[in-house]
Structures are given as C-alpha cells and as structure tokens.
C-alpha cells in the first residue's frame, strides 16, 4: 500500500508539468493566459502505450539480420511519428511551427525510451501495464523538462520548482527505503512493481535536476547582464518586440517607481531593448525633446494624441507586456532622418531597473520599487484598478 501511494505521488509530480506552463506572468490581468493543455497527460498516456507496443519488439528482436533491421527501423520511424504530436503538444505556440526542432526532439525522446526499455527489458517485459507505465514515466519526465526549458523564463522561480520536486523525491525515496523497497533494483530479479517504482522515482529526480540546471544556466547571465530575449516571457504571443513596433512596457524611473507606458522599439541588445517612451501628457512647451503624435495617424495603436520622448530609454525584456501595433512609416522615416533622437543622459550608475537588486528581484518575477498607479487618497491609499486588455 505504501509503495502504491508513493508511486501515485510521483506520477502526479511527473504529470503536472505537462498540463500547463510552469510560470505565471508578472501581471496576470494584463498578459495572455499561459498555455494550458489539460488533456496532455491523457494524450501522453495513450501515446506511451503505442510507443511501448512499437519499442518493445525492437528491444526484443534487435538489429540482428537484414530482415530484422528493416523491421526495427520501420518500428522506430512509427515511434517517432507517435512522439512528434506529444512533443508538439507541450511546446509553446512560437515553436509549434518549427518542424525540424519538433522532429529532433521526437527522435531524442524515442532514443531515451528505447534505452530505458533495453535496460529494464527483463523486468517490464512480463507485464504490459508495467512496461507502459515505465514508458509513460520516462516520457513525462523528458516532455516535462522540455516544457520547463521552453516556459521557465524566470530562473529563480524555475529553481524553486526544481527544489520542490527534489524535496518530494527525497521524501518518497526515504518512504520507499523505509518500507523495505529499493531505488536501484536488479532488472533480472526485481518484480515489475519494484522496477516501476524505481523508474518513477528516478524520472522525478531527473526532472528536478534538469530544471535546476536550466535555472542555473539562465540565472548567471541574467544577474550579469539582465533578462535574456529567449525564451519569451510567459503570457506573450508576439515575441521578441520587433523594431518599429509599439508595446506597453513597465518603464522604471530613477526613483524606482515604475509605470506602464507605450514605447516604440528602436533596437535589441542581448540584455535589454532601446525604446522611446510615449506619453499623453501635453509637452507642447518642450517640442525640442518630444514629437507630437496625432491620433488620426496612429489609429488602432494609440487611444489619444500623444508625445514621443526622443530620449532613448532602456527596458529589460521581462518588462514588456503586450503589443499595440506598428509605427507609421512617416513617423519612422522622420525618426531615422530628421528627428533629434538622443541617447540617455549620462548619470552615475546603470540605467533605472538594471542594478543588481533589480535583476535579482526580476529573476523572482518581482519588481523593485512602487507601482506608479498607486495614488494617495485622504488618510489611506487606494489602488486604481488595472484595466484588462485581451487583444495582443
């Protein structure tokens, strides 16, 4: 009974990453809903059964003789065709159209499954249900790691997820050992149940270790230079912000207050984006530093007349929220030829939002400072309700 409960807990842990993105966007009311696929565990479960049916004869027959070799090759090709939709299911929308990447991942998944089945052939070959569950556990761990790599943008959030899985693995491992089980059974002598429980445990450990490695690889450059452009922050579809596009972003000021503002994308760098901010505050008295934007020309992009700040600002990739549209050609040509676009004024220290504690907090999906939407009212304070925007 204890072994059954431990196996159920491990199965739930392996299945959870297949259902949805591992991270939430910073502002849930402003970005799109993260990608969810509630039917993924069932689809992977069915695909695992089919893959076990295809891989098991390959492991048993082997590449012995010309006829057997062709049979095994045909079965492996069919296995890749079954693995492809599973890999595509857990991939983000921006990668679903990359046929070569999806095919390469499907081949890798089949190779891992074939290797595990070859190692456990003697134990799981006697019981089809055990063999299918072993294939499911391995496939869920590999696909869950793929999803974590694709969706795990904030490294400290991903590291915390890896730590939770590691703690679960430690607890279940102690439970299994305390009840007389073993985590390294002999495939030739162990029962199918013991092999199954061991594979579930090692799959959870592998998933946890893979998430931790991915988090560490992303955390080091994040803390050194800032959030990367890849993968895309959770909750955005159109990515990365194209040059000439208008986006809403969290623009941080020197006093650490930040506010959502439309910005015009000028240039990408490895750690941030150079933009021009747009404001609706009248700047007619400072025409040398601002460019008037007429609503008639920006229809569908802006909601009212605005002013374009000609001083370049730097914004981390993680602070972009959603896309509005494209800059009109006339304004873009004016910026490239005649407008007095200038660099940010030299000041002591890095640009706002780029000090170490800014980068550290952003790696946790947090923000240093105060939201400028918060305003004082009499003795207390109130927060202006953020409006939602469904379209991107």
């Amino acid at each position: 009974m204890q072994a059954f409960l431990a196996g159920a807990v491990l199965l739930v842990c392996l299945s959870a990453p297949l259902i949805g993105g591992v991270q939430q966007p910073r502002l849930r009311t402003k970005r799109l809903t993260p990608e969810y696929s509630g039917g993924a565990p069932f689809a992977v479960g069915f695909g695992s059964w089919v893959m076990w049916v295809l891989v098991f004869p390959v492991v048993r027959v082997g590449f012995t003789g010309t006829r057997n070799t062709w049979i095994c090759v045909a079965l492996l090709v069919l296995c890749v065709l079954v693995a492809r939709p599973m890999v595509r299911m857990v991939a983000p929308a921006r990668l679903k159209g990359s046929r070569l990447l999806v095919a390469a991942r499907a081949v890798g998944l089949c190779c891992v499954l074939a290797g595990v089945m070859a190692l456990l052939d003697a134990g799981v070959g006697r019981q089809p249900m055990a063999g299918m569950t072993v294939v499911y556990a391995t496939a869920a761990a590999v696909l869950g790691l793929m999803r974590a790599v694709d969706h795990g943008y904030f490294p400290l959030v991903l590291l915390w997820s890896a730590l939770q899985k590691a703690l679960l693995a430690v607890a279940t491992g102690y439970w299994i050992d305390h009840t007389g089980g073993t985590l390294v059974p002999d495939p030739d002598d162990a029962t199918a149940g013991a092999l199954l429980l061991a594979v579930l445990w090692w799959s959870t450990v592998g998933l946890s270790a893979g998430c931790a490695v991915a988090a560490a690889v992303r955390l080091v450059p994040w803390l050194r230079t800032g959030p990367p452009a890849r993968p895309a922050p959770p909750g955005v579809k159109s990515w990365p912000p194209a040059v000439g596009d208008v986006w809403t972003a969290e623009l941080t000021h020197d006093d650490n207050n930040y506010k959502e503002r439309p910005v015009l994308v000028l240039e990408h760098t490895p750690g941030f984006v150079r933009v021009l901010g747009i404001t609706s505050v009248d700047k007619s008295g400072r025409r040398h530093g601002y460019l008037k934007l007429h609503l008639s020309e920006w229809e569908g992009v802006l909601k009212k007349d605005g002013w374009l700040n000609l001083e370049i600002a730097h914004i981390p990739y993680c602070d972009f929220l959603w896309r509005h549209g494209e800059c009109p050609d006339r304004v873009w040509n004016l910026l490239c030829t005649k407008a007095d676009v200038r660099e940010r004024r030299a000041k002591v220290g890095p640009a706002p939002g780029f000090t170490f504690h800014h980068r550290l907090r952003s790696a946790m999906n947090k923000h240093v400072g105060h939201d400028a939407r918060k305003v004082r009212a009499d003795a207390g304070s109130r927060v202006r309700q953020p409006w939602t925007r469904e379209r991107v």
Side-chain angles (χ1 to χ4, degrees):
M1 184 63 180
Q2 290 88 346
F4 175 79
L5 291 175
V9 170
L10 293 173
L11 269 177
V12 171
C13 178
L14 289 173
S15 302
L18 301 176
I19 297 175
V22 296
Q23 297 180 1
Q24 295 288 340
R26 177 176 296 167
L27 298 178
R28 302 186 187 184
T29 58
K30 295 302 185 72
R31 287 182 177 168
L32 295 177
T33 303
E35 299 173 51
Y36 286 99
S37 181
F42 302 100
V44 174
F46 176 76
S48 299
W49 178 79
V50 177
M51 294 178 73
W52 178 80
V53 171
L54 296 173
V55 173
F56 183 71
V58 175
V59 174
R60 279 300 178 90
V61 174
F63 295 86
T64 55
T66 304
R67 183 171 177 271
N68 290 344
T69 298
W70 282 109
I71 293 176
C72 291
V73 169
L75 291 175
L76 289 177
V77 170
L78 291 176
C79 187
V80 172
L81 294 179
V82 174
R84 185 180 178 278
M86 293 194 295
V87 171
R88 193 173 183 273
M89 177 180 296
V90 300
R94 66 182 185 279
L95 296 182
K96 291 184 185 294
S98 180
R99 297 181 179 179
L100 184 60
L101 177 63
V102 172
R105 289 183 172 184
V107 171
L109 175 60
C110 293
C111 291
V112 172
L113 293 179
V116 172
M117 289 294 294
L119 290 174
L120 304 178
D121 176 33
V124 301
R126 298 188 297 268
Q127 298 186 23
M129 184 59 66
M132 186 186 70
T133 310
V134 167
V135 174
Y136 176 83
T138 307
V142 175
L143 294 174
L145 182 58
M146 290 180 185
R147 193 174 190 104
V149 170
D150 292 334
H151 294 80
Y153 181 74
F154 301 103
L156 288 180
V157 178
L158 183 58
L159 189 61
W160 172 242
S161 175
L163 179 60
Q164 290 176 319
K165 292 178 175 60
L167 292 175
L168 178 63
V170 170
T172 53
Y174 174 79
W175 193 2
I176 294 171
D177 183 70
H178 185 70
T179 55
T182 177
L183 300 177
V184 284
D186 185 357
D188 295 328
D189 301 327
T191 64
L195 286 173
L196 176 60
L197 196 58
V199 169
L200 288 173
W201 190 83
W202 283 108
S203 297
T204 303
V205 171
L207 178 59
S208 173
C211 291
V213 170
V217 168
R218 289 178 183 163
L219 181 61
V220 173
W222 187 300
L223 296 180
R224 292 180 58 188
T225 60
R230 298 289 184 180
V236 295
K237 266 190 175 180
S238 176
W239 192 260
V243 173
D245 277 358
V246 176
W247 280 66
T248 286
E250 293 176 344
L251 186 60
T252 304
H253 304 290
D254 290 296
D255 59 0
N256 278 339
N257 287 335
Y258 58 94
K259 186 177 182 181
E260 296 169 17
R261 286 190 180 278
V263 296
L264 175 60
V265 179
L266 290 183
E267 184 184 8
H268 300 144
T269 71
F272 61 89
V273 181
R274 302 168 78 232
V275 303
L276 298 178
I278 300 174
T279 179
S280 58
V281 178
D282 184 16
K283 300 293 183 180
S284 56
R286 301 176 57 187
R287 287 186 175 272
H288 66 282
Y290 290 84
L291 179 66
K292 181 66 180 293
L293 306 179
H294 298 281
L295 180 60
S296 59
E297 193 174 20
W298 291 77
E299 191 69 35
V301 180
L302 301 179
K303 289 188 173 182
K304 60 178 73 174
D305 291 347
W307 293 84
L308 183 68
N309 189 347
L310 298 181
E311 182 180 87
I312 296 175
H314 299 165
I315 296 184
Y317 284 100
C318 63
D319 286 350
F320 281 84
L321 303 180
W322 64 84
R323 180 180 180 273
H324 286 273
E326 296 181 359
C327 174
D329 291 338
R330 186 194 69 82
V331 177
W332 185 256
N333 293 333
L334 183 62
L335 292 174
C336 295
T337 56
K338 298 180 181 180
D340 185 21
V341 178
R342 60 190 184 279
E343 294 290 340
R344 180 177 179 270
R345 293 188 297 273
K347 297 180 181 179
V348 178
F354 288 89
T355 62
F356 180 80
H357 70 290
H358 283 97
R359 296 196 295 269
L360 181 63
R361 290 280 288 175
S362 67
M364 306 175 189
N365 196 12
K366 305 292 184 180
H367 206 299
V368 173
H370 303 284
D371 191 337
R373 293 173 299 169
K374 295 182 179 180
V375 295
R376 303 296 299 182
D378 299 327
S381 64
R382 62 184 178 87
V383 181
R384 189 176 70 194
Q385 294 297 325
W387 50 271
T388 59
R389 184 188 184 92
E390 298 297 332
R391 69 185 182 85
V392 172

